[in-house]
Amino acid sequence: AVQTPRGYDDALWRLLCDQIGIAALSIPERFGGAGAGPLETHLVLEELGRTLTPSPLLGSGVLAAQLLLTLDDDAANARLLPGIADGRSVASVCWAGSDGRWSTDTATVVASSDGTLHGSTHYVLDGDLADVLLVVALDGNALALYEVDPTMPGVQRNHTPTMDLTRRLAAVTFDRTPGRRLGTSDAKSALARVLDVVTVAQSAEQVGAMSRCLELTVDYAKTRIQFGRPIGSFQALKHRMADLHVRVEAARSASYAAVDGTIESAAAATYCAETFFTVAAESIQLHGGIAITWEHDAHLYFKRAQAGTQLFGQPSDHLARLESAVGL
């Protein structure tokens, strides 16, 4: 699927949207959605994470949809959300700068007094394929969200090859591009809220991926023979895999607690990102040489884990948010 022009299996995406309605889960019924909650989307993301399934769900069905809902612009929601909900429209949020910061204080795109946009954004999920671009821009002294038709003059979109082949990213540049401002108030609070939502959503993917990664490692340890016995029978390796199991279950608890709002999203984002990286790195070590070949998926989990520590902010950024939230 990652080698297709869109970077994901469009037939599978259509099946998931038409028969299961995954893109519609957290969108209210009045906007064409299923009216479910974040927990249902969380469950789906965990399962997609297990198989590293490439799809627009995180970028379009979660980030873009929740940003629109949080901004509370009913006219824009009525116009854009039904297409996002049925999966026939993919929306991308143009937010981060070249430094990878998803700032809620400033933006790398500036809106002129005539409503045209200037600047560049990076790490845009499915940005080169999207039907709708939602652009975070600095409008005077305030942050605002603009809707941009990607076919408008001045829009340049470039697919950005990354280490993680299962996540499609793009760089998007605007040069005197007409945009439609959404909402009337400063978008800062909406951006802060949606950053919490999307980091928790990504933690669900990470929990699913780390769980499957550990399962593959345990299965391999049961069948790989060394010195006349399965390597999983050696006590030192048993201890390593047992420790990983404890960390995976702790990460799962943190991720679901963040959905319920019983812990800060930043805590889940930090712990899940670091745990996934640890599990994936240990998986490489326990598999040996085959883990870094195309014959096995271990390297794909490692690449997703590494890339995930940068998407939506590094663990240090989330720790800073956590410290601010608890008043440190």
Side-chain angles (χ1 to χ4, degrees), residues 32-196:
L39 180 59
E40 287 79 7
T41 303
H42 208 76
L43 290 166
V44 170
L45 286 167
E46 183 176 346
E47 289 304 308
L48 293 179
R50 284 180 59 85
T51 53
L52 303 180
T53 303
S55 81
L57 181 59
L58 185 64
S60 183
V62 176
L63 178 57
Q66 292 305 308
L67 183 53
L68 286 169
L69 289 168
T70 305
L71 199 64
D72 198 24
D73 184 332
D74 281 350
N77 290 341
R79 183 175 65 255
L80 300 174
L81 285 177
I84 295 174
D86 68 20
R88 286 173 170 76
S89 177
V90 173
S92 292
V93 177
C94 303
W95 183 349
S98 59
D99 60 356
R101 300 291 180 183
W102 300 70
S103 176
T104 58
D105 296 314
T106 188
T108 57
V109 175
V110 177
S112 300
S113 57
D114 61 357
T116 59
L117 304 178
H118 314 259
S120 299
T121 56
H122 297 260
Y123 311 102
V124 183
L125 292 166
D126 304 301
D128 58 320
L129 304 172
D131 308 293
V132 177
L133 299 177
L134 302 178
V135 186
V136 179
L138 193 61
D139 190 345
N141 295 321
L143 288 174
L145 187 68
Y146 282 81
E147 175 191 348
V148 172
D149 182 341
T151 64
M152 293 296 288
V155 178
Q156 182 177 352
R157 303 189 290 173
N158 296 302
H159 169 55
T160 306
T162 62
M163 178 175 63
D164 179 12
L165 301 177
T166 64
R167 184 89 74 192
R168 193 176 183 92
L169 301 176
V172 184
T173 300
F174 305 93
D175 182 11
R176 298 188 296 277
T177 303
R180 175 190 293 188
R181 179 165 176 167
L182 305 179
T184 57
S185 59
D186 191 333
K188 180 175 181 175
S189 60
L191 292 170
R193 171 57 185 150
V194 82
L195 188 60
D196 284 339

Side-chain angles (χ1 to χ4, degrees), residues 244-255:
L244 293 178
H245 173 73
V246 171
R247 296 196 61 165
V248 167
E249 292 308 308
R252 178 176 282 110
S253 296
S255 181

